[in-house]
Amino acid sequence: MLDITIHPLGSNAATVDALAALIVETVAGGGSVSFMHPFALDDARTFWRGSLAAADGGSRVVLGAFEGETLVGTLTLLLDCPPNQPHRAEFAKMMTRPSHRGQGIATALIRAAEQVARAKGRTLIVLDTASDGGAGPLYERCGFRLAGEIPNYALKPHGGYTGTLYYYKELA
Ligand SMILES: CC(C)(COP(=O)(O)OP(=O)(O)OC[C@H]1O[C@@H](n2cnc3c(N)ncnc32)[C@H](O)[C@@H]1OP(=O)(O)O)[C@@H](O)C(=O)NCCC(=O)NCCS
């Protein structure tokens, strides 16, 4: 079992670089995380700079999973919900380095994000994941329930449509 530590990330150049390399590698490998292949490293840096600035401002939490000093996974908890949904949060941008998959890192990130959500008074988590090659089975093992599927929701990184599966979990 890997020795993984998980903690929230803030804005700094090294973190932006590590997250950018991770998402570019993920998209190249066909991971559905909003972007198309090839995803330019500079565009990936721009995306993460914005995301980390939002994290600095408290509207999201970007968790990083580390093996030693090396970033091997991430998951974002979005907290910026409308005024009538103060109890809700959303998962986004969950990914593990291809070299480190199948060893429980995403599962640990999901557990950590649930703890952060609870600590922030959030009792409902929602997310969507690609029907084709997404993380549906993993979320189901973590207690998420399928709300439904929307067909042809997005393009896969290398082209062709995929549906998306909407999941939710009520935190006890
Ligand atoms: C989805 C993704 C984040 C999963 O990351 P991961 O770190 O490999 O996830 P885990 O290891 O926690 O679980 C994955 C599998 O390993 C298995 N596993 C978990 N812990 C394990 C362990 N200690 N030893 C061996 N296998 C284990 C799980 O049962 C799971 O099985 P599955 O392949 O049937 O789903 C990763 O595949 C990824 O980055 N994909 C591309 C991006 C993407 O699609 N993200 C989802 C967007 S919502």
Side-chain angles (χ1 to χ4, degrees):
M1 179 66 189
L2 288 176
D3 191 9
I4 297 294
T5 56
I6 293 176
H7 58 80
L9 304 175
S11 289
N12 72 67
T15 302
V16 166
D17 282 349
L19 286 167
L22 173 58
I23 200 168
V24 166
E25 188 180 23
T26 297
V27 171
S32 279
V33 285
S34 305
F35 298 103
M36 298 299 291
H37 177 74
F39 188 23
L41 202 49
D42 267 354
D43 292 341
R45 286 196 189 97
T46 300
F47 167 76
W48 284 116
R49 265 188 219 106
S51 183
L52 291 170
D56 292 347
S59 62
R60 64 181 61 183
V61 176
V62 180
L63 292 175
F66 290 84
E67 184 187 27
E69 300 291 307
T70 305
L71 181 80
V72 293
T74 188
L75 189 161
T76 296
L77 181 71
L78 300 172
L79 297 166
D80 192 15
C81 293
N84 67 346
Q85 298 157 38
H87 57 297
R88 185 169 72 74
E90 185 171 343
F91 282 2
K93 302 290 174 290
M94 179 176 79
M95 64 202 90
T96 298
R97 279 185 84 172
S99 57
H100 285 67
R101 289 182 188 167
Q103 299 178 74
I105 293 172
T107 303
L109 280 163
I110 290 168
R111 298 294 179 221
E114 288 178 1
Q115 279 181 19
V116 174
R118 268 196 200 91
K120 293 188 176 293
R122 307 300 168 109
T123 54
L124 175 66
I125 297 175
V126 303
L127 63 88
D128 76 285
T129 188
S131 314
D132 187 354
L138 172 57
Y139 285 122
E140 286 175 24
R141 274 195 296 279
C142 290
F144 283 76
R145 297 186 64 183
L146 182 64
E149 178 175 22
I150 301 174
N152 296 330
Y153 186 81
L155 289 169
K156 294 181 279 188
H158 294 271
Y161 287 107
T162 175
T164 202
L165 302 168
Y166 272 88
Y167 283 93
Y168 68 96
K169 182 172 181 176
E170 292 177 295
L171 300 179

